[in-house]
Amino acid sequence: LMSLVGTPSPASGKRKVEAAMQGYLRKLSPAPLKGWQRRYFVLKGRCLFYFKTREDYYSNARVRGCIDLDNVTRVFDSKEQPALGTDIATIGGRTYHLLGASIEEKSTWMAALSRIPNTTHTVEQRVTIFRNGTNSNGKVVILPASLRELLD
């Protein structure tokens, strides 16, 4: 189940805030032993939000996470599962590992992500922004110590 635009809310029949794309993907948890988790992803603006379920999205439940596309350095085929997997690397050093249910679904997500205009900042400018402690939206960012050492 995926959609290229906002879809009617199951409860109200009203359209949720427009999204470029939404649907279920599997995300590899960074926590040991948790493995692959099914999450409902919503691509809106310059963020790829994820929720535990579709119902959580429509009921305004807690967002499980957000991949800020301004901080993405690379989107590429997964080395482990290139047919279905997509990896998203960020400036902060985290790589998100995502799996589609089919080759078509993966291709549709990759196309949607590629339609997002590039940030106005180059990677070098974004690193400078991170050195100063804020991201491109002026939000304070705390980098891992290992990355701070590389940037100093």
Side-chain angles (χ1 to χ4, degrees):
L1 172 69
M2 66 178 166
S3 172
L4 291 176
V5 294
T7 57
S9 168
S12 67
K14 293 182 181 176
R15 185 178 292 245
K16 185 74 176 171
V17 175
E18 284 295 317
M21 186 164 175
Q22 55 188 295
Y24 280 101
L25 293 170
R26 294 202 178 274
K27 183 182 82 63
L28 185 62
S29 173
L33 307 175
K34 286 204 174 179
W36 291 95
Q37 299 173 324
R38 186 174 188 241
R39 295 288 182 248
Y40 191 75
F41 282 82
V42 177
L43 177 60
K44 177 156 178 19
R46 302 200 53 78
C47 249
L48 182 58
F49 299 94
Y50 52 96
F51 300 82
K52 192 167 186 178
T53 67
R54 181 175 187 260
E55 291 74 23
D56 285 351
Y57 170 59
Y58 284 107
S59 66
N60 294 317
R62 181 172 72 94
V63 175
R64 293 297 213 179
C66 171
I67 302 171
D68 181 346
L69 299 178
D70 282 333
N71 296 331
V72 170
T73 58
R74 198 164 75 121
V75 178
F76 53 101
D77 289 335
S78 167
K79 291 177 185 167
E80 291 78 25
Q81 299 187 35
L84 300 177
T86 300
D87 291 347
I88 301 175
T90 64
I91 288 175
R94 180 165 181 194
T95 299
Y96 294 84
H97 307 281
L98 308 176
L99 278 180
S102 66
I103 293 171
E104 179 186 64
E105 186 174 64
K106 176 202 171 176
S107 297
T108 304
W109 275 102
M110 291 286 281
L113 287 168
S114 71
R115 285 191 294 271
I116 303 297
N118 288 335
T119 179
T120 55
H121 302 296
T122 65
V123 171
E124 292 79 14
Q125 288 170 323
R126 285 183 271 162
V127 168
T128 300
I129 290 166
F130 271 79
R131 279 187 183 140
N132 294 334
T134 61
N135 69 11
S136 58
N137 297 324
K139 295 179 183 171
V140 174
V141 175
I142 300 172
L143 294 175
S146 58
L147 188 57
R148 283 195 307 268
E149 290 169 7
L150 290 174
L151 295 176
D152 288 336

Coordinates of all heavy atoms in Angstrom, one line a residue, residues 27 30 41 46-48 50 65-76 86-98 113 119 122-124 126-127 130 135 141-144 146-148 150-151:
K27 N 12.4 -0.7 7.8 CA 13.6 0.0 8.2 C 14.4 -0.8 9.2 O 13.9 -1.4 10.1 CB 13.1 1.3 8.9 CG 14.3 2.3 9.3 CD 13.8 3.5 10.0 CE 13.5 3.3 11.4 NZ 14.6 2.9 12.3
P30 N 18.5 0.7 14.3 CA 19.9 0.9 14.8 C 20.2 0.1 16.1 O 21.3 -0.1 16.5 CB 20.1 2.4 14.9 CG 18.8 2.9 15.2 CD 17.8 2.0 14.5
F41 N 5.9 5.4 6.1 CA 6.7 6.5 5.7 C 5.9 7.5 5.0 O 5.0 7.2 4.2 CB 7.9 6.1 4.8 CG 9.0 5.5 5.6 CD1 9.0 4.1 6.0 CD2 10.1 6.2 5.9 CE1 10.0 3.6 6.7 CE2 11.2 5.7 6.7 CZ 11.1 4.3 7.0
R46 N 10.7 18.6 2.9 CA 12.1 18.1 2.9 C 12.4 17.1 4.0 O 13.5 17.0 4.5 CB 13.1 19.3 3.0 CG 12.8 20.3 1.8 CD 14.0 21.2 1.5 NE 15.2 20.5 1.3 CZ 15.6 19.9 0.2 NH1 14.8 19.8 -0.8 NH2 16.8 19.3 0.1
C47 N 11.3 16.4 4.4 CA 11.5 15.4 5.5 C 10.8 14.1 5.0 O 9.7 14.1 4.4 CB 10.8 15.9 6.7 SG 12.0 16.2 8.0
L48 N 11.4 13.0 5.4 CA 10.8 11.7 5.3 C 10.5 11.2 6.7 O 11.4 10.8 7.4 CB 11.8 10.7 4.6 CG 11.3 9.3 4.3 CD1 10.1 9.3 3.4 CD2 12.4 8.5 3.6
Y50 N 8.6 8.9 9.6 CA 8.1 7.5 9.7 C 7.3 7.3 11.0 O 7.7 7.9 12.0 CB 9.2 6.5 9.5 CG 10.4 6.6 10.3 CD1 10.6 5.9 11.5 CD2 11.5 7.4 9.9 CE1 11.8 6.0 12.2 CE2 12.7 7.5 10.6 CZ 12.8 6.8 11.8 OH 14.0 6.9 12.5
G65 N 10.2 9.0 13.8 CA 11.5 9.6 13.3 C 11.3 10.4 12.1 O 10.2 10.4 11.4
C66 N 12.3 11.2 11.7 CA 12.3 12.0 10.5 C 13.7 12.0 9.9 O 14.7 12.3 10.6 CB 11.9 13.4 10.9 SG 12.0 14.6 9.5
I67 N 13.8 11.8 8.6 CA 15.0 11.9 7.9 C 15.0 13.3 7.3 O 14.2 13.5 6.3 CB 15.2 10.8 6.9 CG1 15.2 9.4 7.6 CG2 16.6 10.9 6.2 CD1 15.1 8.2 6.6
D68 N 15.8 14.2 7.8 CA 15.9 15.5 7.2 C 16.7 15.5 5.9 O 17.9 15.2 5.9 CB 16.6 16.5 8.2 CG 16.6 17.9 7.8 OD1 16.4 18.2 6.6 OD2 16.9 18.7 8.6
L69 N 16.0 15.7 4.8 CA 16.6 15.6 3.5 C 17.7 16.6 3.2 O 18.5 16.4 2.4 CB 15.5 15.6 2.4 CG 14.5 14.4 2.5 CD1 13.5 14.5 1.4 CD2 15.2 13.1 2.5
D70 N 17.7 17.7 4.0 CA 18.8 18.7 3.9 C 20.1 18.1 4.4 O 21.1 18.7 4.1 CB 18.4 20.0 4.7 CG 17.4 20.9 3.9 OD1 17.4 20.8 2.7 OD2 16.7 21.6 4.6
N71 N 20.0 17.1 5.2 CA 21.2 16.5 5.8 C 21.6 15.2 5.1 O 22.6 14.5 5.6 CB 21.0 16.2 7.3 CG 20.8 17.5 8.1 OD1 21.3 18.6 7.7 ND2 20.0 17.5 9.1
V72 N 21.0 14.9 4.0 CA 21.3 13.6 3.3 C 22.5 13.9 2.4 O 22.5 14.9 1.6 CB 20.1 13.1 2.5 CG1 20.5 12.0 1.5 CG2 19.0 12.7 3.5
T73 N 23.5 13.0 2.4 CA 24.7 13.2 1.6 C 24.6 12.3 0.4 O 25.1 12.5 -0.7 CB 26.0 12.9 2.3 OG1 25.9 11.5 2.8 CG2 26.2 13.9 3.4
R74 N 23.8 11.1 0.5 CA 23.7 10.2 -0.6 C 22.6 9.3 -0.4 O 22.2 8.9 0.7 CB 25.0 9.4 -0.6 CG 25.3 8.7 -1.9 CD 26.8 8.2 -2.0 NE 27.0 7.1 -1.1 CZ 27.5 5.9 -1.5 NH1 27.8 5.8 -2.8 NH2 27.7 5.0 -0.7
V75 N 21.9 8.9 -1.5 CA 20.8 7.9 -1.6 C 21.3 6.9 -2.6 O 21.6 7.2 -3.7 CB 19.5 8.5 -2.0 CG1 18.4 7.4 -2.0 CG2 19.0 9.6 -1.0
F76 N 21.4 5.6 -2.2 CA 22.0 4.6 -3.1 C 21.4 3.2 -2.8 O 20.7 3.0 -1.8 CB 23.5 4.6 -2.9 CG 24.0 4.4 -1.5 CD1 24.4 3.2 -1.0 CD2 24.0 5.5 -0.6 CE1 24.8 3.0 0.3 CE2 24.4 5.3 0.7 CZ 24.9 4.1 1.2
T86 N 17.3 0.3 -0.2 CA 17.8 1.7 -0.4 C 18.5 2.2 0.8 O 17.9 2.0 1.9 CB 16.6 2.7 -0.8 OG1 16.0 2.2 -1.9 CG2 17.1 4.1 -1.0
D87 N 19.6 2.8 0.7 CA 20.3 3.3 1.9 C 20.4 4.8 1.7 O 20.6 5.4 0.6 CB 21.8 2.8 2.0 CG 21.8 1.3 2.3 OD1 20.8 0.8 2.8 OD2 22.9 0.7 2.2
I88 N 20.2 5.5 2.8 CA 20.2 7.0 2.9 C 21.2 7.4 3.9 O 21.1 7.2 5.1 CB 18.8 7.5 3.2 CG1 17.7 7.1 2.2 CG2 18.9 9.1 3.3 CD1 16.3 7.5 2.6
A89 N 22.3 8.0 3.4 CA 23.4 8.4 4.3 C 23.2 9.9 4.6 O 22.9 10.7 3.8 CB 24.8 8.2 3.6
T90 N 23.5 10.2 5.9 CA 23.3 11.6 6.4 C 24.7 12.2 6.9 O 25.6 11.5 7.2 CB 22.3 11.7 7.5 OG1 22.8 11.0 8.6 CG2 21.0 11.1 7.1
I91 N 24.7 13.5 6.9 CA 25.9 14.2 7.4 C 26.3 13.8 8.8 O 27.4 13.6 9.1 CB 25.7 15.7 7.4 CG1 25.7 16.2 6.0 CG2 26.8 16.5 8.2 CD1 25.3 17.7 5.8
G92 N 25.3 13.5 9.7 CA 25.6 13.1 11.0 C 26.2 11.8 11.2 O 26.6 11.3 12.3
G93 N 26.4 11.1 10.1 CA 27.1 9.8 10.1 C 26.1 8.6 10.1 O 26.6 7.4 10.0
R94 N 24.8 8.8 10.3 CA 23.9 7.7 10.3 C 23.5 7.3 8.8 O 23.3 8.2 8.0 CB 22.6 8.1 11.1 CG 21.6 6.9 11.1 CD 20.6 7.1 12.1 NE 19.7 5.9 12.1 CZ 18.5 5.9 12.7 NH1 18.1 6.9 13.4 NH2 17.8 4.8 12.6
T95 N 23.4 6.1 8.6 CA 22.8 5.6 7.3 C 21.5 4.8 7.7 O 21.5 3.9 8.5 CB 23.8 4.6 6.6 OG1 25.0 5.4 6.3 CG2 23.2 4.1 5.3
Y96 N 20.5 5.2 7.0 CA 19.2 4.6 7.2 C 19.1 3.5 6.1 O 19.3 3.7 4.9 CB 18.0 5.5 7.0 CG 18.0 6.6 8.1 CD1 18.7 7.8 8.0 CD2 17.1 6.4 9.2 CE1 18.7 8.7 9.0 CE2 17.1 7.4 10.2 CZ 17.8 8.5 10.1 OH 17.8 9.5 11.0
H97 N 18.7 2.3 6.5 CA 18.5 1.2 5.6 C 17.1 0.9 5.4 O 16.4 0.5 6.4 CB 19.3 -0.1 6.1 CG 20.7 0.2 6.4 ND1 21.7 0.3 5.4 CD2 21.3 0.5 7.6 CE1 22.9 0.5 6.0 NE2 22.7 0.7 7.3
L98 N 16.5 1.0 4.2 CA 15.1 0.8 3.9 C 14.9 -0.3 2.9 O 15.7 -0.5 2.0 CB 14.5 2.1 3.4 CG 14.7 3.4 4.2 CD1 14.1 4.6 3.5 CD2 14.1 3.2 5.6
L113 N 12.0 10.4 -4.1 CA 13.1 11.1 -3.4 C 14.0 11.9 -4.4 O 14.4 13.0 -4.0 CB 14.0 10.1 -2.7 CG 13.4 9.4 -1.4 CD1 14.2 8.3 -1.0 CD2 13.3 10.5 -0.3
T119 N 19.2 20.6 -1.8 CA 19.3 21.7 -0.8 C 20.1 22.9 -1.5 O 20.8 22.7 -2.4 CB 19.9 21.2 0.5 OG1 20.0 22.4 1.3 CG2 21.3 20.7 0.2
T122 N 25.7 23.3 -0.4 CA 26.6 22.2 -0.9 C 26.9 21.3 0.3 O 26.7 21.7 1.5 CB 27.9 22.7 -1.5 OG1 28.6 23.3 -0.5 CG2 27.6 23.6 -2.7
V123 N 27.5 20.1 0.1 CA 27.9 19.3 1.3 C 28.9 20.0 2.1 O 28.8 20.0 3.3 CB 28.5 18.0 0.8 CG1 29.1 17.2 1.9 CG2 27.4 17.1 0.1
E124 N 29.8 20.8 1.5 CA 30.8 21.5 2.2 C 30.2 22.6 3.1 O 30.5 22.8 4.3 CB 31.8 22.2 1.3 CG 32.7 21.2 0.6 CD 32.1 20.5 -0.6 OE1 31.0 21.0 -1.1 OE2 32.6 19.5 -1.1
R126 N 27.1 22.5 4.2 CA 26.4 21.8 5.3 C 27.3 21.4 6.4 O 27.0 21.5 7.6 CB 25.6 20.7 4.8 CG 24.4 21.1 4.0 CD 23.5 20.0 3.5 NE 24.0 19.6 2.2 CZ 23.8 18.4 1.6 NH1 23.1 17.5 2.2 NH2 24.2 18.2 0.4
V127 N 28.5 21.0 6.1 CA 29.5 20.6 7.1 C 29.8 21.8 7.9 O 29.9 21.8 9.1 CB 30.7 19.9 6.5 CG1 31.9 19.8 7.5 CG2 30.4 18.6 5.9
F130 N 27.1 22.5 10.3 CA 27.2 21.6 11.4 C 28.3 21.9 12.4 O 28.2 21.7 13.6 CB 27.3 20.1 10.9 CG 26.0 19.5 10.7 CD1 25.3 19.8 9.6 CD2 25.4 18.7 11.6 CE1 24.0 19.2 9.3 CE2 24.2 18.1 11.4 CZ 23.5 18.4 10.3
N135 N 21.7 23.4 12.1 CA 21.5 22.9 10.8 C 21.0 24.1 9.9 O 20.9 25.2 10.4 CB 20.5 21.7 10.8 CG 19.1 22.1 11.2 OD1 18.7 23.2 11.3 ND2 18.3 21.1 11.4
V141 N 22.2 21.3 16.6 CA 22.5 19.9 16.3 C 23.6 19.5 17.2 O 24.6 20.2 17.4 CB 22.9 19.8 14.8 CG1 23.4 18.4 14.5 CG2 21.8 20.2 13.9
I142 N 23.5 18.3 17.8 CA 24.5 17.8 18.6 C 25.1 16.6 17.9 O 24.5 15.6 17.6 CB 24.0 17.3 20.0 CG1 23.4 18.5 20.8 CG2 25.1 16.6 20.8 CD1 22.7 18.1 22.0
L143 N 26.4 16.8 17.5 CA 27.1 15.7 16.7 C 27.7 14.7 17.7 O 28.1 15.1 18.8 CB 28.2 16.4 15.9 CG 27.7 17.3 14.8 CD1 29.0 17.9 14.1 CD2 26.9 16.5 13.7
P144 N 27.8 13.5 17.2 CA 28.6 12.5 18.0 C 30.0 12.9 18.1 O 30.6 13.6 17.2 CB 28.5 11.2 17.1 CG 27.5 11.5 16.1 CD 27.3 13.0 16.0
S146 N 32.8 11.4 17.9 CA 33.7 10.9 16.8 C 33.6 11.8 15.6 O 34.6 12.1 14.9 CB 33.3 9.5 16.4 OG 32.0 9.4 16.0
L147 N 32.4 12.3 15.2 CA 32.3 13.2 14.1 C 32.8 14.6 14.4 O 33.4 15.2 13.5 CB 30.8 13.3 13.6 CG 30.5 14.0 12.3 CD1 31.4 13.4 11.2 CD2 29.1 13.9 12.0
R148 N 32.6 15.1 15.6 CA 33.1 16.4 16.0 C 34.6 16.4 15.9 O 35.2 17.4 15.4 CB 32.7 16.8 17.4 CG 31.2 17.2 17.5 CD 30.9 17.9 18.8 NE 31.3 17.1 20.0 CZ 30.5 16.3 20.6 NH1 29.3 16.1 20.2 NH2 30.9 15.6 21.7
L150 N 36.4 14.7 13.8 CA 36.8 14.7 12.4 C 36.7 16.1 11.8 O 37.4 16.5 10.9 CB 35.9 13.8 11.6 CG 36.2 12.3 11.8 CD1 35.1 11.5 11.1 CD2 37.5 11.9 11.3
L151 N 35.7 16.9 12.3 CA 35.4 18.2 11.7 C 36.3 19.3 12.3 O 36.4 20.4 11.8 CB 34.0 18.6 12.0 CG 32.9 17.7 11.2 CD1 31.5 18.1 11.6 CD2 33.1 17.8 9.7

